[in-house]
Amino acid sequence: MSSKTILTGIQPSGALHLGNYFGAAKKMVALQDAGDCYLFIANYHALTTVHEADVLRDWTFQLAVDYLALGIDPERTVLYRQSDVPEVQELTWLLSNVINVGFLQTGTSYKDKVAKGIIPSVGLFNYPVLMASDILCYDSDLVPVGRDQAQHLEFTRRMARAFNHRYGEVLRVPEALIDEETALVPGTDGGKMSKSLGNTIPVFLKGKKLKKALGQIVTDSTPLEEPKDPDNCNVMALYKLFASQDEVTELAGRYRAGNFGYGHAKLALQEVMERELGEAWARRDALMAAPEKVEAILQAGAERARVRARAVLDRALKACGIR
Ligand code: ADP
Ligand code: TRP
């Protein structure tokens, strides 16, 4: 049986946060031996919201460092920048001819972004077509993402089927890999953690800065001595993502017993975060000091990625009469 192709991307539009970590990055690290893995930095997508060249370059580099620090092994995972594979742009055009405007208008991500004040550029509107190309250009089988990307994956499947319906079986129809427990990581305000909402906890904050970020998590005003509800607490919701079942039961007991404040809960959260991320924090410092090494990894990744993308694009060009 041939192995599965697993692929995902994250936009370099700000510091990697716990939502990105649990929704996509951590899963990708864990899946490295489960198939042919591709992981990319979606810098063309970030153009929809990041309009300063130096900032985009810097965040692109930092995201590569983040992935490597978290344990992405460039031997087992093809790590690359989206923009280093121009074949994806060509396939995007082909796909834009099999999807209708009315269909893309139903995109909730597009509507949400416009409602938040992001410029409704043609690029933002076409965002899902480029994303479909990112996925279909590599014959991907599985795409690990958070729940917010489920509709984009449905659009991708629809474009693949529409292309195949018109031209024959050319594109592989992928599936989203959404893990219910981590599908929607809450931010400091209890809503979806998201860069654009200013409610994130970055993965690579430590010490006092991390303490300050955790201080922002919104809690209710139950006095210290009174019992608290562990099932209705933003701190607990994040703690659960890092802690074992026994640790969660133990902390929930302390909530219910009273004489336990949210400050104590935040300290407990910081401890489990340090346990899980401490090594990655140290690796990141080392990588930041070796930018040429990171660049070489990205270029080698792009070379490998292009071989796969070229083959799929050639198939698609031939099928639709361009070749
Ligand atoms: P943001 O919403 O902060 O801009 P991205 O859109 O770049 O983040 O998301 C990159 C990846 O992280 C996607 O797979 C997305 O589904 C996942 N992700 C983002 N926020 C969350 C969250 N709060 N919970 C779970 N997954 C998330
Ligand atoms: N749209 C995704 C996000 O905002 C990022 C992305 C771009 C992506 N291309 C992709 C994710 C392809 C998975 C596969 O999170």
Side-chain angles (χ1 to χ4, degrees), residues 8-11 13 17 19-20 22-24 127 144-149 182-186 192-196 200:
T8 200
I10 300 185
Q11 295 188 70
S13 51
H17 57 71
N20 304 143
F22 287 107
Y127 184 112
V145 282
R147 192 184 294 136
D148 61 325
Q149 297 300 312
T182 55
L184 206 154
V185 175
K192 182 207 154 193
M193 186 178 290
S194 176
K195 282 162 231 160
S196 55
T200 65

Side-chain angles (χ1 to χ4, degrees), residues 8-322:
T8 200
I10 300 185
Q11 295 188 70
S13 51
L16 192 80
H17 57 71
L18 296 182
N20 304 143
Y21 174 66
F22 287 107
K26 185 181 182 184
K27 280 191 259 173
M28 220 42 208
V29 173
L31 286 166
Q32 288 187 100
D33 292 318
D36 292 345
C37 292
Y38 290 77
L39 177 58
F40 68 93
I41 302 162
N43 55 346
Y44 271 132
H45 275 115
L47 280 180
T48 55
T49 53
V50 183
H51 298 153
E52 283 172 77
D54 289 342
V55 172
L56 183 56
R57 246 188 301 275
D58 185 42
W59 280 345
T60 302
F61 171 73
Q62 300 239 9
L63 190 53
V65 170
D66 290 349
Y67 281 145
L68 293 167
L70 287 174
I72 287 296
D73 168 6
E75 296 298 319
R76 289 182 292 159
T77 294
V78 181
L79 177 64
Y80 60 101
R81 267 181 299 247
Q82 183 184 36
S83 58
D84 286 338
V85 185
E87 286 77 7
V88 169
Q89 300 302 322
E90 284 188 65
L91 186 66
T92 302
W93 179 252
L94 303 189
L95 295 175
S96 70
N97 283 284
V98 297
I99 185 115
N100 297 344
V101 170
F103 196 78
L104 286 183
Q105 275 167 339
T106 66
T108 52
S109 169
Y110 174 75
K111 287 191 277 197
D112 289 352
K113 284 177 180 171
V114 174
K116 267 188 246 152
I118 295 175
I119 302 166
S121 61
V122 174
L124 191 70
F125 187 69
N126 283 348
Y127 184 112
V129 189
L130 176 57
M131 178 159 165
S133 185
D134 286 329
I135 297 169
L136 301 176
C137 213
Y138 298 90
D139 277 339
S140 306
D141 295 293
L142 295 173
V143 185
V145 282
R147 192 184 294 136
D148 61 325
Q149 297 300 312
Q151 191 188 34
H152 283 155
L153 261 296
E154 270 317 308
F155 285 5
T156 302
R157 290 160 58 82
R158 191 175 173 109
M159 282 179 245
R161 286 201 208 95
F163 192 94
N164 290 348
H165 182 70
R166 195 178 285 173
Y167 299 114
E169 288 302 309
V170 177
L171 299 173
R172 191 173 295 178
V173 183
E175 270 171 49
L177 194 64
I178 299 174
D179 170 359
E180 277 315 309
E181 270 168 40
T182 55
L184 206 154
V185 175
T188 52
D189 56 0
K192 182 207 154 193
M193 186 178 290
S194 176
K195 282 162 231 160
S196 55
L197 298 177
N199 64 356
T200 65
I201 297 175
V203 174
F204 289 97
L205 274 192
K206 51 185 171 182
K208 281 193 187 139
K209 287 187 181 155
L210 176 58
K211 188 165 183 235
K212 199 168 162 211
L214 298 182
Q216 304 296 312
I217 302 175
V218 177
T219 51
D220 63 28
S221 53
T222 315
L224 178 83
E225 53 288 350
E226 281 184 26
K228 300 183 178 58
D229 180 4
D231 299 323
N232 236 322
C233 171
N234 296 330
V235 184
M236 190 63 161
L238 291 169
Y239 184 80
K240 279 184 183 161
L241 296 166
F242 290 99
S244 67
Q245 191 50 54
D246 286 352
E247 287 170 329
V248 173
T249 310
E250 212 260 333
L251 193 70
R254 288 162 75 191
Y255 267 70
R256 292 193 188 97
N259 274 324
F260 179 78
Y262 292 116
H264 299 122
K266 289 179 183 180
L267 270 181
L269 171 59
Q270 181 154 2
E271 271 172 31
V272 284
M273 284 184 69
E274 273 170 20
R275 182 179 69 196
E276 174 145 340
L277 298 168
E279 277 178 29
W281 292 340
R283 277 198 296 263
R284 188 177 202 278
D285 291 342
L287 285 158
M288 282 303 279
E292 57 312 317
K293 200 170 143 193
V294 177
E295 181 57 31
I297 290 171
L298 290 175
Q299 287 187 19
E303 262 180 52
R304 287 166 70 191
R306 283 193 78 177
V307 174
R308 172 78 78 112
R310 186 75 243 169
V312 176
L313 177 66
D314 282 344
R315 236 163 50 211
L317 287 171
K318 199 167 162 219
C320 64
I322 297 288

